[in-house]
Structure formats: structure tokens, C-alpha cells
Amino acid sequence: SEHQHVRYNPLRDDWVLVSAHRVKRPWQGQLEKPPPEDVPRWDPKNPLCPGATRANGEVNPKYEGTFVFPNDFPALQPDAPEPDDSDHPLFQAAPARGVCKVMCFHPWSDLTLPLMSLPEIRAVIDAWAELASELGASYPWVQIFENKGAMMGCSNPHPHCQVWASSFLPNEARLEDRTQRQHLSQHGVPMLLEYAEQEARRKERLVVENADWLVVVPYWATWPYQTLLLPRRHVRRLQDLSDSEKDSLASIMQRLLIKYDNLFEVSFPYSMGWHGAPTGPYLEEDCMHWQLHAHYYPPLLRSATVRKFMVGYEMLAQVQRDLTPEQAAERLRSLPEVHYK
């Protein structure tokens, strides 16, 4: 906890430099603005609100639960043309097609997931599973992700996420596919199933747990209060969860996100996303090496205004963190599960 060392991340096949003493250094760098506390519950100028007009002129229905619609500015489109053939191996291009959707969690802009009720969170999980199944019927990868807070690039103050389905496996998916496949081949057990069992027994990086799930600050975490959400049984995809597992997932998500908000008494920014076995043509293949999991990557380090920057050494050498995962887990674990508001 006092001396620098490196830790191996078997999921990404890379290393992180842990320099716990650096968190004590004085900070005169950039200070972030805390998120606004006065977000209106409904704003006709907010394109995600019920009844609001979006950039393409479409008017949202006056929805009362979750609401899914095509992204008006998609990064992927289903009918993109083939790129030109390359005349040299150093200049390669490949087709990239897909669809991008936006999913609103709730009609109220002043709510976030930790402030929603368990039935409302469960409705979000159901919608995630439906989209994963629907888009996964034809696309190899369906990436569900939430950017929470302006600090993480969220462009509209409204509880929502995005879902991008692609005709290819993105870099992180290909990497996790390789490492998990190798682990199962070498050790005879899915990597993250074994890892969850180890963390449940050791408890030093455990944040919250219930009968079906556990949340840990992973041994190899890079972001200060990064967490990994894992099922206790072997589950390959979000759509494979039982009703009771979805209920307990809603509960553990709420508990984690309340702790996040309570850490600095602010609506805690993060980027999160689900990783599971590939879909589309991979539905017919053996994907037993895969274990469903969700990553949470929050940037805040010391307070609501001081963030961790991935620059310099992190960009040019390898990722580095300023407190140990054990210290981060202990702090999160000790926080109350009643929201500070």
C-alpha cells in the first residue's frame, strides 16, 4: 500500500503501475465544475424529454417508462459502402456497418439510476436484455454503454444510455475474447467465474454483494474507483439472465451507484458498459469461455472537482493509478447505502 509496483490484468493482457504514495502530492491542476443540482424535470429544449422535438424534427412520444429510438447522429449505419481496396499492407481498411440507438431510462431529467426505484431500474435491465437479443440476432457485437455526467461526454442532462451494434468485433471485445479463451483452455474454468469466486473469498476488494452478484474494485483497476460487476454463476450474455437475477441485478446496481454518489456527495460521473459473449454468427459457436460482466470507469480521484487524467505516461507507456484497489474498495465499502440526498 506504500510502495509502487505493477499488477497484471489477465483480461486485457497488460499491466498497470500502482503508485499509492502519489495521491498525497499537492494539486494545483484543473478543477472540474460539480454537476448542476437544478436540472429541470422537463425541458422542451432537451431532445430526450417526452414530447420534445429532436434534431431531425421528430417529436418524442410522451413516454412514461423506458424509451428507445434511433440515434439521430449514428456512428454506424447499416448501408455504408465498402471501402476501396488497399494497395499496401500498411494502409488497410475494412467494412463497418451497424445501427446506433439511444435508450432513455426515465421520463424525468432530474433523475439518475441511483435515484430511481428498483422496479424502474429493473425495467432498464429488461430493455437492455431485449435490445441485446434483438440486435444480437444479426450483429456480432452489441455494445450497451452509459456516459454519466458532462465530464464523461454526456451531451444531455437526462438519464439515458446508448446501444451500438456493429458488423465487427471491436478491439476490446476481440481482446477479451482471446484472453478468456486462453484461460479456459489452460485452466479449465472461465476466467471471470474463477476470479469472482476468488474475490468473494478474499473480500479485500469487495464493494457490495448479494446472492447472484458481486461488485469489486478489480485487482488490476486503472481508474481510481473503477469497479467490475460480476454474476456468481456462469452466464454468457445479458439476455441469459433469469427474472430473479435481473431483480438482484437492479438491487446491486442501485447499491453501488448510491455509494458512488455518496463518495463525494455529487452525482458521480462514469462511463460503464456491458461485455458478454459475441452474438450474430457467434450464437452458433462455443462461447463457454465468456462470462458476462459490466465495467464502471469513474474519473474522480480526490474530490468532486479533482479527476484522474490518462495522459503522458499513461498514453505513452502504460496506465498508472494513485491509490491501491484495496484502498478504493475499502472506502467504497464503508459508505452508506442511503443516498445523501
Side-chain angles (χ1 to χ4, degrees), residues 177-190:
D177 185 72
R178 174 175 63 82
T179 57
Q180 291 181 96
R181 188 184 299 274
Q182 288 175 345
H183 188 92
L184 180 63
S185 174
Q186 294 171 4
H187 302 280
V189 61

Side-chain angles (χ1 to χ4, degrees), residues 144-164:
I144 298 168
F145 64 98
E146 178 193 5
N147 294 324
K148 180 170 179 271
M151 194 184 304
M152 297 307 291
C154 181
S155 56
N156 291 290
H158 192 92
H160 72 286
C161 73
Q162 297 189 56
V163 184
W164 293 11

Side-chain angles (χ1 to χ4, degrees), residues 189-206:
V189 61
M191 178 199 295
L192 292 181
L193 183 62
E194 181 179 9
Y195 179 68
E197 292 170 351
Q198 286 288 321
E199 290 288 30
R201 181 173 61 82
R202 296 169 186 256
K203 296 192 180 303
E204 57 187 331
R205 285 169 294 275
L206 190 65

Side-chain angles (χ1 to χ4, degrees), residues 314-333:
E314 291 88 351
M315 295 174 69
L316 297 164
Q318 69 182 34
V319 290
Q320 177 269 336
R321 61 179 292 117
D322 294 340
L323 75 165
T324 67
E326 294 75 28
Q327 291 167 335
E330 182 180 10
R331 187 163 184 190
L332 288 173
R333 189 167 54 242

Side-chain angles (χ1 to χ4, degrees), residues 68 99 101 127-139 142 165 239:
V68 178
V99 296
K101 294 181 180 289
W128 281 344
E130 289 170 10
L131 280 170
S133 180
E134 172 194 334
L135 297 173
S138 53
Y139 286 102
V142 180
Q239 52 269 43

